[in-house]
Amino acid sequence: MIAVLAFGAATLYLSASVQAVWPEPRPVAAVPRVEITVAPLARPALAIVRVGPAKVTPAARPVRTLTPRRHYLFGRPEVAAAPETLARRAKAVAGVIHISSVEDLTKKMSELDYRLSDVRRGEAEVPRLTIAALPCDLRQLQSVRSRKSLFVRTILPLILQANETVMTERRQLQAVLAKKNLDGVDRAWLGELAARYDAKPDDASELLRRVDIVPPSLALAQAAEESGWGTSRFAQEANAVFGQWTYRSDTGVVPNRRDDGKRHKIRSFGGLRASVLAYLRNLNIHWAYVEFRQRRADLRARQGWLSGYELTPSLERYSERGKAYVKTIRTIMRVNGFAAYDQARLEGGDRLGI
């Protein structure tokens, strides 16, 4: 009996010792159960296209709606959406603008957000910008790329504006010539136009050959070559960007290396715009460019549009260098990608039927 009691006491002692060494574990907080419901993916509608001899009626054809490509004045939709901004920038290009330096010209171009890359891609129109004269420190600009860019951005709007004036006259001429009977007003206008283009009013074919534009690619290349990209003495002192000659004694700049016995001067102008207008008139009326005008008319009749590159061979008489000059002009056009500017258009204008 005593042995039994002793064994029980020993068992209780060992049980209490184990509980002291191994306490009961703390309860662990239950992890909440999260149920995620995934909605089944919606199947896209399938377009069934019938392939085979079965005829598809016009009503059954899918209608594709295209968003028309808009041309913005400064190349950015957010600018075009702000009328007050457009009004301010339109004011910035109004009238003749006088530039004092390269910095001033660069700032003006930046204010207008006028970039040649946008123009070449057809994403922006060319502002109606009329710069009075090129900055005198243009030749000091170290970056050739920047110098070329400023020159082209200055001259291109002037070329497009001059072409626009000529194209307006050409379209009116075509409308008048299409009439069976001309009234007094039409005859008077036709006579005035013929006088300006040094032609006979009753020679419709010759008038159409003369009243036409010069592709911007060609005009830009000649301006770059004749003016040294706007850095020559003639361009700086006389706004002569096309190197036109004159024999008048009261005007013009005498070339430094003029041959003995020659009397010609480089014609001077009151501004760049006058120089561009005189260049177009020169190609349209002078006897030396009969071949140019005939080739231009042939291009229009054959393909309906003009290529400056294809017109270049007809300008051998423009320079004493002849064929070498033509080769130089074509190289300038090709290296600088001037062909893209034949599709450029002025703000609010069109492509002038080039």
Side-chain angles (χ1 to χ4, degrees), residues 187-209:
R187 293 183 184 278
W189 180 84
L190 199 58
E192 181 183 350
L193 181 72
R196 289 203 306 274
Y197 282 87
D198 198 20
K200 297 179 180 180
D202 57 348
D203 192 343
S205 298
E206 182 61 23
L207 274 173
L208 286 172
R209 279 193 291 268

Side-chain angles (χ1 to χ4, degrees), residues 129-285:
L129 187 64
T130 303
I131 302 295
L134 293 163
C136 58
D137 59 344
L138 185 61
R139 70 180 68 182
Q140 300 173 14
L141 190 59
Q142 296 299 317
S143 172
V144 175
R145 182 175 182 179
S146 297
R147 189 190 312 145
K148 286 183 175 183
S149 176
L150 285 175
F151 177 77
V152 172
R153 283 187 285 176
T154 298
I155 302 300
L156 179 59
L158 299 176
I159 294 171
L160 293 178
Q161 290 178 74
N163 274 339
E164 185 178 59
T165 300
V166 174
M167 183 53 69
T168 299
E169 293 176 332
R170 179 178 176 84
R171 288 169 177 166
Q172 187 172 351
L173 173 62
Q174 291 172 324
V176 169
L177 294 177
K179 295 181 180 180
K180 293 183 178 180
N181 298 312
L182 303 183
D183 56 23
V185 175
D186 291 333
R187 293 183 184 278
W189 180 84
L190 199 58
E192 181 183 350
L193 181 72
R196 289 203 306 274
Y197 282 87
D198 198 20
K200 297 179 180 180
D202 57 348
D203 192 343
S205 298
E206 182 61 23
L207 274 173
L208 286 172
R209 279 193 291 268
R210 296 189 177 215
V211 186
D212 207 343
I213 64 174
V214 176
S217 60
L218 176 57
L220 283 172
Q222 287 195 270
E225 170 64 13
E226 297 294 338
S227 70
W229 295 91
T231 64
S232 71
R233 180 169 67 96
F234 306 125
Q236 291 290 323
E237 297 179 7
N239 295 308
V241 291
F242 292 98
Q244 293 177 254
W245 286 14
T246 181
Y247 289 91
R248 293 180 57 180
S249 59
D250 60 338
T251 184
V253 179
V254 179
N256 290 331
R257 291 178 288 181
R258 186 176 64 178
D259 296 337
D260 294 339
K262 292 192 174 182
R263 299 179 297 105
H264 73 275
K265 297 181 180 180
I266 301 300
R267 184 178 174 184
S268 60
F269 299 93
L272 294 175
R273 182 174 182 272
S275 179
V276 173
L277 290 172
Y279 161 76
L280 259 69
R281 175 176 172 79
N282 188 32
L283 292 187
N284 282 336
I285 71 170

Side-chain angles (χ1 to χ4, degrees), residues 18-70:
V18 172
Q19 288 181 2
V21 175
W22 303 103
E24 293 185 2
R26 295 180 179 179
V28 179
V31 178
R33 184 179 181 183
V34 179
E35 295 184 359
I36 301 175
T37 303
V38 180
L41 295 176
R43 280 189 170 184
L46 298 178
I48 301 176
V49 180
R50 183 183 298 275
V51 180
K55 183 178 179 181
V56 181
T57 61
R61 292 175 181 172
V63 179
R64 183 183 180 189
T65 304
L66 296 177
T67 303
R69 188 176 188 179
R70 300 184 61 183

